[in-house]
Amino acid sequence: MAFDPTKQSRQDTGEFGYRIFKKDEIDISNGDDEQLVSDLARIGRRAQIANSKIADATIGNGAQIIDSNVGNDTVVGCAALVSESDLGEANKIGEYSSIRSSRFDSNRGGIELLDYVTVTASQIGAEVRANPYTFIRESTIGDRCEFTGYSSITNSTIGDNSHVGERCTIKGVEIAGDAVIEDRVTILEGCVLMSGVRINEETDIDCLVTLHEHAFVDRDVTIKEGSSVGQNTVVKDRVIISEGANIHENVVVGTKSRIGRGAEIHAGTTIGEYAEICDGAVIGENCVIEENAYVPAHTVVESGETFYNRT
């Protein structure tokens, strides 16, 4: 529980104190009964604290904390701006960070935001780590997530236990828990990634794509607008999936294959390397499309068939 300076004394003196060390150049505005600074708090120079309750925190030089509640053992680095926020226990916010209109988990804590991280109008769960140059705007981040750095998360929801690699761009996306998104991945508006999805590096996912539970997308894959990748499906490296393609569950799409617009690949099918499934083709359940196969537009391959036709 967060330390309440109205009810507890950290020095066990039986008295409730609100003493401040290093008081140079501090402006504690509106010093009324609602503004309390606990024993053992250390407030750096040039800090400004307005209408806030501070408990056993170290606030670095140049910080501004406005209309905020700051929990126990919080460290706010130099030149940070914390505005209209609730910060949980045992958090560390690095130098030059900017946190605005955001709410951190107030019970479990463990958040670590390192240098040059920006969090704006977002809700951050417990035990989250964001490395330098991570930008989180208007988003909800679950517990135990990690952001490797240099990534931008905008207007998105990311579930618990998720990992986002370096230099990723995620805009307007819903990502369920246990997702692993490797480096240099782009995921655009309206996409839905269900639990346990893994996306390897250099992948581009266009708008309105759905990746179902435990789908695996290998490196350098392109998935175009409105496509769907089913549960437990594996899309190997350098595959191109065109607009509106629908790949069902337990499908394997081989390396450098191409799936055309509006193609339908049913459950249990295996597509070999370098195969091309043209626009509007329908591949039934448990089919085998061999390596280098060419399936012409609007072709129907019946369930259980092996397709040999090549060019």
Side-chain angles (χ1 to χ4, degrees):
M1 295 295 293
F3 171 59
D4 184 351
T6 64
K7 299 178 181 178
Q8 297 170 259
S9 171
R10 286 296 187 193
Q11 295 183 337
D12 296 324
T13 62
E15 298 178 358
F16 302 128
Y18 310 114
R19 294 186 293 109
I20 302 171
F21 301 104
K22 295 185 177 179
K23 294 192 289 188
D24 325 41
E25 302 182 44
I26 293 175
D27 173 18
I28 300 181
S29 305
N30 303 321
D32 53 28
D33 292 339
E34 294 183 358
Q35 177 151 316
L36 306 170
V37 180
S38 76
D39 295 5
L40 307 184
R42 303 179 65 86
I43 311 298
R45 298 177 61 187
R46 293 179 297 279
Q48 299 182 29
I49 303 172
N51 299 321
S52 299
K53 182 182 293 186
I54 310 297
D56 288 12
T58 299
I59 311 298
N61 294 344
Q64 300 181 51
I65 301 175
I66 303 168
D67 296 333
S68 303
N69 294 323
V70 181
N72 295 344
D73 304 319
T74 295
V75 177
V76 179
C78 298
L81 169 64
V82 181
S83 176
E84 300 178 89
S85 303
D86 295 334
L87 300 182
E89 301 177 9
N91 301 323
K92 176 181 177 181
I93 300 167
E95 294 183 349
Y96 310 107
S97 294
S98 174
I99 298 107
R100 298 183 177 91
S101 303
S102 303
R103 179 180 298 274
F104 293 172
D105 190 293
S106 59
N107 295 318
R108 289 167 288 175
I111 300 163
E112 186 171 7
L113 306 180
L114 300 181
D115 297 358
Y116 307 104
V117 173
T118 298
V119 179
T120 304
S122 299
Q123 180 170 323
I124 310 295
E127 300 180 36
V128 170
R129 177 184 174 89
N131 281 341
Y133 298 101
T134 297
F135 302 93
I136 301 173
R137 301 180 179 91
E138 300 179 13
S139 298
T140 299
I141 309 301
D143 298 342
R144 299 175 299 281
C145 292
E146 180 178 15
F147 300 88
T148 305
Y150 296 89
S151 292
S152 176
I153 316 299
T154 306
N155 192 30
S156 297
T157 299
I158 298 180
D160 298 347
N161 302 304
S162 293
H163 168 90
V164 177
E166 286 191 359
R167 303 183 190 280
C168 294
T169 299
I170 298 173
K171 297 181 179 178
V173 175
E174 293 186 21
I175 301 175
D178 301 304
V180 176
I181 299 169
E182 298 291 356
D183 300 345
R184 299 177 298 282
V185 170
T186 298
I187 309 174
L188 298 183
E189 289 84 353
C191 290
V192 176
L193 279 60
M194 298 184 185
S195 62
V197 166
R198 180 179 180 126
I199 302 173
N200 277 358
E201 63 270 15
E202 305 282 359
T203 289
D204 292 325
I205 300 179
D206 210 341
C207 304
L208 302 172
V209 168
T210 300
L211 301 182
H212 292 268
E213 290 88 347
H214 303 289
F216 172 75
V217 178
D218 210 342
R219 65 182 303 274
D220 198 18
V221 170
T222 300
I223 303 178
K224 295 292 188 178
E225 182 174 348
S227 297
S228 176
V229 176
Q231 181 176 355
N232 297 318
T233 284
V234 175
V235 179
K236 296 188 178 180
D237 57 298
R238 291 167 287 177
V239 167
I240 298 175
I241 299 175
S242 298
E243 292 87 343
N246 188 13
I247 302 174
H248 291 246
E249 64 272 15
N250 301 308
V251 170
V252 177
V253 182
T255 299
K256 288 191 175 181
S257 296
R258 298 175 62 94
I259 309 297
R261 290 184 178 89
E264 189 89 13
I265 315 297
H266 285 279
T269 287
T270 299
I271 298 173
E273 296 181 355
Y274 301 96
E276 183 169 0
I277 312 297
C278 293
D279 296 353
V282 177
I283 312 298
E285 294 183 0
N286 302 311
C287 291
V288 175
I289 308 299
E290 289 205 335
E291 293 180 10
N292 300 303
Y294 177 85
V295 180
H298 306 291
T299 297
V300 176
V301 178
E302 298 294 337
S303 294
E305 287 189 10
T306 298
F307 193 89
Y308 297 99
N309 184 32
R310 298 176 176 85
T311 54

